[in-house]
């Protein structure tokens, strides 16, 4: 492990990774995906007159039952921030890995803001409506995260690099299509895009969990 300058014997010079932290935040990553998927599924049944094929997730995030999806979005945002913490704790790359860390942080903040603003799905026009801008930024940061983290992830296993690059390519090819779809099918397509974003989170969660499990230096 790399060493730092010892400070008046207040802390050991040896700097080590924390397996408990790696495991806990890896589990948080997976939990965030499960929580968001579960909240959407529950809302699909609870929200009156909701068509999961035609109506988007945004439609579930407004109205009387908005708190259900909001909780899922907050859990997913926490998962992304947790992975950013792990990526900083275990820095596997050069400048591109650092860019990926920032992308994960911004991605998490955007997901949180989308849930917190509650200005979608209800024809809101009061004040500064930024939902569309948040969605555009989310798509961009997802792309950056996939490609920026790929090279560093290959130090753990080439398979992680392959999965991240493939996910980025699928995302780049798929996400713009959403804005040109007819409204009677954009709901199911948005759920597909959500599943693609889960691949990024689960892949990174698995990488860091395996790191904690085997205690290897990549």
């Amino acid at each position: 492990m790399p060493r730092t300058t010892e400070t008046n014997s207040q802390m050991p010079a040896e700097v080590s990774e924390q397996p408990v932290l790696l495991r806990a935040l890896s589990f948080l990553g997976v939990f965030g995906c499960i929580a968001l998927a579960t909240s959407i599924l529950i809302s699909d049944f609870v929200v009156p007159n909701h068509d999961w094929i035609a109506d988007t997730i945004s439609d579930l995030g407004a109205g009387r039952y908005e708190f259900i999806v909001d909780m899922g979005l907050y859990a997913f945002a926490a998962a992304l921030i947790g992975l950013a913490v792990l990526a900083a704790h275990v820095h596997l790359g050069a400048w591109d890995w650092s860019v990926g860390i920032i992308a994960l942080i911004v991605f998490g903040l955007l997901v949180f803001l989308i849930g917190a603003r509650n200005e979608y799905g209800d024809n809101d026009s009061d004040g500064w409506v930024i939902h569309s801008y948040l969605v555009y930024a989310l798509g961009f940061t997802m792309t950056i995260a996939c490609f920026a983290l790929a090279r560093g992830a290959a130090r753990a296993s080439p398979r992680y690099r392959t999965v991240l690059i493939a996910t980025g390519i699928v995302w780049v090819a798929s996400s713009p299509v959403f804005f040109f779809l007819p409204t009677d099918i954009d709901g199911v397509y948005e759920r597909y895009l959500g599943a693609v974003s889960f691949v990024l989170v689960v892949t990174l969660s698995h990488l860091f969990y395996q790191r904690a499990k085997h205690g290897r230096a990549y």
Side-chain angles (χ1 to χ4, degrees):
M1 293 294 180
R3 302 181 67 86
T4 59
T5 303
E6 190 168 359
T7 307
N8 298 327
S9 299
Q10 294 178 355
M11 64 180 67
E14 187 75 14
V15 176
S16 60
E17 296 168 9
Q18 302 299 313
V20 174
L21 178 67
L22 291 172
R23 290 191 182 93
L25 295 185
S26 295
F27 285 131
L28 176 61
V30 176
F31 171 77
C33 295
I34 295 174
L36 180 54
T38 302
S39 69
I40 293 171
L41 182 61
I42 293 173
S43 295
D44 283 338
F45 286 97
V46 171
V47 176
N49 303 317
H50 179 77
D51 182 351
W52 66 275
I53 295 179
D55 297 333
T56 65
I57 299 171
S58 297
D59 294 322
L60 297 175
R64 178 181 177 185
Y65 299 101
E66 65 185 20
F67 69 92
I68 300 176
V69 165
D70 286 349
M71 288 190 296
L73 289 172
Y74 297 151
F76 189 60
L80 291 165
I81 299 297
L83 290 176
V85 171
L86 289 186
H89 182 60
V90 183
H91 202 293
L92 297 179
W95 65 269
D96 50 350
W97 186 267
S98 298
V99 170
I101 294 171
I102 296 172
L104 286 174
I105 295 172
V106 176
F107 192 176
L109 292 176
L110 289 170
V111 171
F112 176 83
L113 285 174
I114 287 174
R117 288 285 295 187
N118 287 332
E119 65 178 23
Y120 41 76
D122 54 358
N123 299 317
D124 183 9
S125 59
D126 296 330
W128 188 26
V129 180
I130 62 173
H131 177 68
S132 296
Y133 301 107
L134 295 177
V135 171
Y136 298 148
L138 186 149
F140 179 73
T141 54
M142 168 70 182
T143 303
I144 295 299
C146 287
F147 291 113
L149 296 170
R151 182 171 65 161
R155 295 177 60 187
S157 170
R159 290 175 296 178
Y160 293 123
R161 178 180 182 273
T162 300
V163 172
L164 290 177
I165 290 179
T167 302
I169 292 174
V170 170
W171 180 265
V172 170
S174 301
S175 55
V177 176
F178 173 79
F179 299 102
F180 301 97
L181 290 175
T183 57
D184 56 347
I185 63 170
D186 59 354
V188 67
Y189 195 83
E190 187 181 48
R191 287 159 173 78
Y192 152 73
L193 291 176
V196 175
S197 70
F198 287 174
V199 176
L200 167 67
V201 174
V202 172
T203 300
L204 293 176
S205 297
H206 187 270
L207 185 159
F208 292 121
Y209 177 78
Q210 291 299 314
R211 172 107 182 180
K213 182 179 178 181
H214 298 293
R216 291 197 300 262
Y218 299 138

